[in-house]
Amino acid sequence: QVQLVESGGGLVQAGDSLRLSCGASGRTFSSTAMAWFRQAPGKEREFVAAIRGSGDTTYYAESVKGRFTISRGNTKNTVYLQMNSLKAEDTAVYYCAVRVSTSIYMNVRSRSEYEYWGQGTQVTVSS
């Protein structure tokens, strides 16, 4: 089993920045990909950003491109999401997810591709 714990959420004003962290523990693993998703009240959970296990390829939702940056920690079982120029529409619970199993093809933007999820951290942006 793999446990994921997110931290770094909070209440900020529009234009501010936040840095989310996600640490993984449990059995030793090498991730195929790690990602951040978010879910606003009354909406489906949506893709925000992902990073390949190698750390050399990143993916972003159009709504956050240029404002958010996903990165891996030195341990490689840690992933960060630097969020700049936050907007009210970024308000949501942010979830960390990891895929451990390998595959020839993986749609990093799909929730169903990820095997383990954290409990989420609330980000609230006031306008």
Side-chain angles (χ1 to χ4, degrees):
Q1 286 291 328
V2 175
Q3 292 81 40
L4 302 175
V5 178
E6 304 97 335
S7 62
L11 171 64
V12 297
Q13 293 186 337
D16 286 350
S17 298
L18 275 177
R19 189 193 195 205
L20 304 183
S21 300
C22 174
S25 62
R27 68 177 178 90
T28 302
F29 68 93
S30 295
S31 65
T32 295
M34 297 187 77
W36 289 95
F37 287 74
R38 67 186 182 187
Q39 188 168 16
K43 295 187 177 181
E44 291 193 354
R45 193 170 300 186
E46 66 175 4
F47 170 78
V48 176
I51 186 167
R52 291 285 186 180
S54 60
D56 59 355
T57 307
T58 57
Y59 309 81
Y60 295 95
E62 284 298 320
S63 60
V64 306
K65 194 174 293 184
R67 298 188 298 121
F68 291 11
T69 302
I70 188 170
S71 61
R72 297 288 295 273
N74 291 332
T75 64
K76 296 190 177 181
N77 286 346
T78 302
V79 65
Y80 304 102
L81 186 67
Q82 178 66 43
M83 305 187 294
N84 299 329
S85 302
L86 283 161
K87 305 175 181 179
E89 50 264 43
D90 294 319
T91 295
V93 177
Y94 283 71
Y95 296 90
C96 175
V98 65
R99 180 185 175 102
V100 175
S101 59
T102 58
S103 62
I104 296 175
Y105 174 78
M106 175 190 176
N107 180 3
V108 296
R109 300 171 188 273
S110 173
R111 291 177 295 174
S112 63
E113 295 279 5
Y114 296 88
E115 297 138 328
Y116 299 100
W117 292 81
Q119 293 300 306
T121 185
Q122 176 71 47
V123 172
T124 304
V125 185
S126 63
S127 57

